[in-house]
Amino acid sequence: METREMIKVENLNKSFGDLHVLKDINLTVFENDVVCLVGASGSGKSTLLRCLNFLEKKDHGKIVINGKEVRRETHDINEVRQHVGMVFQHFNLFPHMTVLENIIEAPVHVKKISKEEASKDALELLRKVGLKDKADVFPNKLSGGQKQRVAIARALAMKPDIMLFDEPTSALDPELVGEVLQTMKELADDGMTMVIVTHEMGFAREVADKMVYLDEGMIVERAHPDEFFSNPKEERTKEFLSTTG
Ligand code: ADP
Ligand code: MG
């Protein structure tokens, strides 16, 4: 079977004013791949994810999502965004809506799916993330880990081809990290194509198909996790890994 390229980035560059944040990034993510993106704070991880989801405008380079080159001038970014779900550190749930309403909001208003069908899908997603009984509660009644699982369900409700995660467990109390990682692991096992920025090295080692290490806006090393963690090639990767415990 041919392996499909879900994300292809060529020579991506991005600056904020004089600050050159992403430098000639080349990255291919295949269908069903889980890529974990690691690096020090400020190395450009979030900017890279945001460029992939067109929340940030690239300066130069090529971004191909599921075979389609996305150019701001010629493509409907909102259309593309429907195929790329994103989960952030802060869950950004709508506080005045129930869990179910949060999840069906985009399918109903963006995809124009009927409320009935969207609700049926939402309940199935809630079952998947272990929160079936929380459909009618408001976000302020949930723990951080539950909120993040709702945020994952909400992203999945658009039936994306790709899921991007930007430090999804960094804002959580330590005892709540595991349940969110477990949900992500199940998603990976289901074959979702995922790019995950994380500091959870144990999780990355277990779940990633590929590790990518970013330093000062450059991809310094990429490798299978076994290789990456036990036998890093680059001096900077060794230093980084020695700081992450
Ligand atoms: P990371 O996620 O790896 O911590 P970021 O991608 O958030 O790194 O940031 C990379 C660099 O870009 C940092 O120096 C950050 O201050 C800068 N940066 C990020 N977003 C902006 C922005 N909107 N305007 C100006 N500078 C930014
Ligand atoms: Mg970041």
Side-chain angles (χ1 to χ4, degrees):
M1 204 181 82
E2 168 188 342
T3 317
R4 197 206 304 232
E5 291 176 349
M6 295 300 282
I7 302 174
K8 194 168 177 68
V9 174
E10 286 176 5
N11 297 316
L12 175 65
N13 281 274
K14 171 74 188 171
S15 297
F16 293 110
D18 291 338
L19 188 66
H20 195 176
V21 176
L22 296 177
K23 301 166 185 161
D24 286 326
I25 299 288
N26 289 288
L27 179 69
T28 302
V29 181
F30 294 98
E31 189 167 24
N32 306 131
D33 257 3
V34 177
V35 173
C36 283
L37 185 60
V38 299
S41 172
S43 56
K45 304 179 299 296
S46 294
T47 304
L48 176 53
L49 280 198
R50 292 169 61 81
C51 284
L52 291 180
N53 206 22
F54 309 97
L55 293 171
E56 239 16 291
K57 192 175 185 310
K58 68 184 185 200
D59 296 336
H60 310 283
K62 192 165 160 184
I63 299 177
V64 183
I65 301 289
N66 201 355
K68 278 191 226 154
E69 182 178 357
V70 185
R71 287 207 217 98
R72 198 159 276 257
E73 314 77 56
T74 53
H75 274 84
D76 183 353
I77 301 290
N78 286 324
E79 216 284 309
V80 177
R81 246 179 229 157
Q82 291 181 33
H83 301 285
V84 186
M86 188 147 170
V87 174
F88 303 89
Q89 183 174 347
H90 298 285
F91 336 106
N92 308 323
L93 296 178
F94 305 116
H96 58 290
M97 292 182 188
T98 66
V99 163
L100 189 87
E101 287 165 351
N102 264 278
I103 296 175
I104 69 172
E105 160 73 23
V108 169
H109 290 101
V110 181
K111 275 199 170 168
K112 311 292 181 198
I113 289 169
S114 76
K115 254 190 166 166
E116 293 65 38
E117 195 186 335
S119 301
K120 202 168 134 252
D121 286 352
L123 287 172
E124 175 54 25
L125 285 168
L126 280 173
R127 191 193 56 74
K128 239 182 162 164
V129 302
L131 294 171
K132 209 177 74 187
D133 54 333
K134 301 292 185 195
D136 298 323
V137 310
F138 286 88
N140 66 359
K141 293 281 183 287
L142 300 176
S143 72
Q146 290 171 331
K147 280 182 202 166
Q148 193 60 299
R149 285 186 281 149
V150 172
I152 292 171
R154 184 176 59 175
L156 291 173
M158 293 296 276
K159 304 194 196 315
D161 304 316
I162 300 162
M163 286 281 284
L164 309 176
F165 293 86
D166 194 357
E167 300 196 32
T169 61
S170 293
L172 299 177
D173 292 335
E175 71 273 19
L176 302 176
V177 168
E179 64 191 62
V180 173
L181 295 181
Q182 181 57 34
T183 297
M184 292 166 67
K185 189 173 178 310
E186 285 163 16
L187 202 53
D189 291 342
D190 283 350
M192 179 60 81
T193 305
M194 299 160 74
V195 182
I196 304 169
V197 173
T198 186
H199 295 293
E200 296 289 335
M201 294 300 162
F203 168 79
R205 193 170 191 155
E206 188 184 347
V207 173
D209 298 298
K210 274 175 209 147
M211 296 299 302
V212 172
Y213 171 56
L214 203 62
D215 186 52
E216 296 184 0
M218 282 177 284
I219 295 181
V220 169
E221 187 153 355
R222 58 183 100 211
H224 187 275
D226 292 344
E227 193 66 14
F228 183 83
F229 288 104
S230 352
N231 190 19
K233 297 282 178 289
E234 301 293 330
E235 214 43 57
R236 277 186 282 177
T237 315
K238 290 178 196 168
E239 267 170 52
F240 171 73
L241 288 173
S242 73
T243 65
T244 61

